Amino acid sequence: MTNHNGAYPGWTHVYSGKVRDLYVPTKVLDDDDTWTGDPLRLSPLVLVVATDRVSAFDRVLSPAIPGKGAMLTSLTRWWFDRLPEVPNHLAHPLDDRLEALELPGVPAEFADRGTLCRTLDMFPVECVVRGFLTGGGWKEYQETGAIGGVPLPEGLQNGDRLPEPIYTPAWKAPLGEHDVNVSYERTVELVGEVVAGQLRELSLEIFARASVIAEARGLILADTKFEFGADRATGIVTLADEVLTSDSSRYWDAAAYATAATPELRMASFDKQIVRDWLAANWDQEVSEEPPTLPHEIVEQTAARYRELLERLTTGD
């Protein structure tokens, strides 16, 4: 057997994003020596590995956040267990489409941050749900009185709860480009009316259920983003990628939100906002193309926020 990657017998590395690395079974490629183009189109299975890399302002930073990949993976698995009615991309060992692959074991190095998944035909839509006014939505509201074409009441302040959660999708741009906020009508053009409706309905339903679970643990789920694809055998819309993690969602402490004296304390999130704030204050992109190295204390504070969210959500289950 030829190992195209060389590092992990049985697996071939095919893609790296800002945070995740993807591998396919080497056997898939060895059995078709004529393959060209995207190997994910060829393989029914992909090993998704969450790394400890951290990114901000579309740049991968140094050093990494220790344990981040394992925490994101653990939280995604935890949420999948709480959403059994939502089809997800986890590979099922008894699936006869996978038996012929003679799957290699997941490398020990990836045990706590690797996920075996079925490859899907991904939809080019990032499904964003907002329950509170903050971040880029706050900026857009100040300029237009709406978010993603959804009109909102006048007089809202940064961090306010919205009258009801809203669905504000984005178009997933090619690698290296910024995602673009689009109207719901544009998603109909991208994926068709039936799928667009399913994406909106599923996203709002998952957000509503997750919000209740978070609230019971003293947390506010302010906003999140989901990604979906079509199962290649059945066409069923399927939840993919990370789900309701610190990297894909904005969580706040409910007690701090109710009592804090300033917006900054009110909306202190359990994610890499510490990194973003430090980088914004210490990096002039017009002066230096390369971002500065993150200080040890920023790395440690960020790791602690990821860890606290994981513990608060999952402790006792």
Side-chain angles (χ1 to χ4, degrees):
M1 180 192 305
T2 301
N3 185 352
H4 298 260
N5 182 49
Y8 304 105
W11 295 100
T12 294
H13 173 260
V14 295
Y15 174 81
S16 286
K18 293 187 182 73
V19 173
R20 283 168 180 75
D21 297 330
L22 304 184
Y23 298 78
V24 298
T26 303
K27 185 179 188 299
V28 172
L29 306 184
D30 283 345
D31 287 351
D32 188 346
D33 291 333
T34 64
W35 71 275
T36 59
D38 183 4
L40 294 177
R41 296 293 309 171
L42 187 65
S43 177
L45 186 87
V46 60
L47 174 61
V48 180
V49 178
T51 73
D52 291 346
R53 296 191 295 265
V54 62
S55 67
F57 303 114
D58 290 324
R59 304 297 293 273
V60 176
L61 308 173
S62 179
I65 306 299
K68 176 174 176 279
M71 287 187 279
L72 295 181
T73 301
S74 179
L75 199 50
T76 291
R77 292 171 179 171
W78 186 85
W79 277 113
F80 276 150
D81 286 344
R82 271 136 201 87
L83 301 166
E85 73 284 359
V86 181
N88 65 58
H89 67 172
L90 297 181
H92 303 291
L94 299 181
D95 190 330
D96 58 10
R97 289 174 292 171
L98 306 179
E99 288 182 358
L101 290 180
E102 301 172 7
L103 295 178
V106 175
E109 181 182 334
F110 300 155
D112 60 351
R113 53 194 181 91
T115 304
L116 285 173
C117 306
R118 288 169 293 120
T119 47
L120 309 173
D121 291 329
M122 298 301 294
F123 299 117
V125 177
E126 189 172 79
C127 299
V128 180
V129 181
R130 305 173 190 270
F132 290 74
L133 184 59
T134 189
W138 165 239
K139 180 179 179 181
E140 185 175 346
Y141 170 76
Q142 290 179 292
E143 296 172 350
T144 68
I147 304 177
V150 179
L152 296 173
E154 296 181 0
L156 295 177
Q157 299 301 311
N158 191 14
D160 282 356
R161 183 189 292 270
L162 298 176
E164 61 182 8
I166 60 174
Y167 176 69
T168 59
W171 172 66
K172 293 196 299 188
L175 184 64
E177 299 181 24
H178 293 285
D179 291 345
V180 179
N181 293 333
V182 295
S183 66
Y184 175 74
E185 289 71 25
R186 176 57 178 149
T187 69
V188 172
E189 296 174 359
L190 289 168
V191 299
E193 185 173 358
V194 172
V195 170
Q198 289 177 309
L199 295 181
R200 177 171 63 182
E201 182 178 357
L202 274 170
S203 297
L204 289 168
E205 287 179 358
I206 297 170
F207 183 85
R209 178 162 183 181
S211 295
V212 171
I213 293 173
E215 183 179 353
R217 290 157 172 79
L219 296 165
I220 290 172
L221 177 60
D223 54 39
T224 193
K225 60 182 179 181
F226 303 112
E227 295 193 31
F228 296 89
D231 184 285
R232 290 178 177 172
T234 65
I236 292 173
V237 174
T238 302
L239 184 60
D241 201 51
E242 63 180 317
V243 177
L244 295 159
T245 71
S246 309
D247 271 11
S248 66
S249 313
R250 201 184 317 256
Y251 290 90
W252 298 331
D253 181 277
Y257 180 85
T259 62
T262 68
E264 291 76 17
L265 295 175
R266 179 190 188 198
M267 298 181 289
S269 51
F270 293 88
D271 55 25
K272 59 186 176 184
Q273 190 61 47
I274 297 169
V275 170
R276 295 191 194 98
D277 292 344
W278 183 88
L279 202 59
N282 292 274
W283 181 34
D284 186 339
Q285 298 184 47
E286 295 183 1
V287 175
S288 173
E289 182 177 340
E290 292 300 318
T293 299
L294 298 175
H296 176 75
E297 61 270 20
I298 295 297
V299 172
E300 289 300 309
Q301 290 172 24
T302 302
R305 292 297 279 177
Y306 277 81
R307 189 162 48 249
E308 182 179 355
L309 177 65
L310 177 63
E311 291 173 352
R312 289 184 60 168
L313 280 171
T314 64
T315 297
D317 286 353

